[in-house]
Amino acid sequence: MFSPSSLTIMLYFQLVIMAGTVMLAYYFEYTDTFNVHVQGFFCYDSSYTKPYLGPEESSAVPPALLYAVVAGIPTLVITVTESVLFLLQYTSKDFATREKTVVTGDCCYLNPLVRRTVRFLGVYIFGLFTTDIFVNAGQVVTGNLAPHFLTVCKPNYTALGCQHALRFISHQEACTGNEEDVLRARKTFPSKEAALSVYAALYLAMYISCTVKAKGTRLAKPVLSLGLMCLAFLTGLNRVAEYRNHWADVIAGFIVGLAIATFLVVCVVHNFKGKLLSNETLEKDTPPSPPMTSLPRVESPLQKYIASQVAELREVEAVPATALKSRVVRFFSWITGMSRFEHLHHTRITSPSLRSHDTEAAICQTHWSSSFFTVQPS
């Protein structure tokens, strides 16, 4: 068990990790701290001569709308679902008649509803920033060119010597177009919109499937989950249709989002299998039971009978070996009328090496003979 001080330290450590993740995502997104790799191109390459349909804000799925959806809808769904589950569990357990207790400690007490909601939303937000970091790192390292790169680059083919031969251009000064558009056209692999959309859709779909256990939702949950995945898929298709990303960029974004969402759901929140809210209250109200070792042991009549029989056998075995052997010798002397048994008896009694063997043999013979004969002392 962790002490309250160690739990507080772990909470602060997690907050530091979250703050570091947010700062790293900010530096990737809004600063030029990390230089984008300058990838070359061939003159008149048809892969990069697609038309430019305008800035990102003119897209069918603009960045502002995408960010609002992936941040707002999961937050709203998780909060509402956890609140409904909390109310259903506590109203069914007659929460109004329960004894109210005040929990204090080194850290503040969190209601089960607040704790579960903060946990699931905190992991989700951490995954959003992690996905953004992965995508930005891939775009900075690869510097893959967009399908409309040459349209916004506007290279001077005459000055570059592209009149008579297919030439590879590798220097950055070859472009004469808008610098911001050219820089954005160099950051396409993997697709950020595809990664964020599929991450949010998969996380929310798995949350709904694992958490909602109400009757009559056997088809509603798959329909809702597949609908969310379909929206993410359409977002990736829109990026290809508008010539803003290649197919490879979109597929790579899907893989990044799927991998991060699956890892967080399976390994961090354990498929949303948290402790039931009602069970926590029941554990606090139930007094601890005494340990089993402190209860007196009660023996059954059969056990008492077996114990008495064992005690009698031990008393019989405790009879001195010399008395038993003398009775055996007298028995054989009475039958044969010979005195050699007495001589054998005195010889074996005086031999230390044979005492143990004679004792065991005498006990066995005595038990066998006593069932048939009664030997009278001479």
Side-chain angles (χ1 to χ4, degrees), residues 8-9 13 54 76 81 100 103 124 175 181 202 285 304:
T8 305
I9 293 175
F13 182 69
L76 179 63
T81 304
K100 305 301 186 298
V103 181
Y124 174 76
C175 295
D181 294 339
L202 182 60
D285 296 342
K304 293 181 179 180

Side-chain angles (χ1 to χ4, degrees), residues 221-300:
K221 290 191 296 184
V223 168
L224 183 58
S225 301
L226 294 177
L228 294 173
M229 298 301 297
C230 182
L231 292 177
F233 181 70
L234 292 177
T235 302
L237 292 181
N238 177 73
R239 300 295 299 179
V240 177
E242 293 182 350
Y243 306 115
R244 301 183 187 275
N245 289 101
H246 300 280
W247 276 109
D249 306 334
V250 174
I251 293 174
F254 284 160
I255 293 175
V256 171
L258 288 172
I260 295 177
T262 304
F263 171 76
L264 293 179
V265 170
V266 174
C267 300
V268 179
V269 296
H270 304 289
N271 295 323
F272 306 100
K273 301 295 184 182
K275 186 182 294 185
L276 291 178
L277 301 178
S278 58
N279 289 346
E280 297 180 357
T281 305
L282 291 176
E283 290 178 0
K284 295 175 183 177
D285 296 342
T286 305
S289 59
M292 296 299 295
T293 56
S294 62
L295 297 177
R297 181 180 178 182
V298 180
E299 295 183 352
S300 62

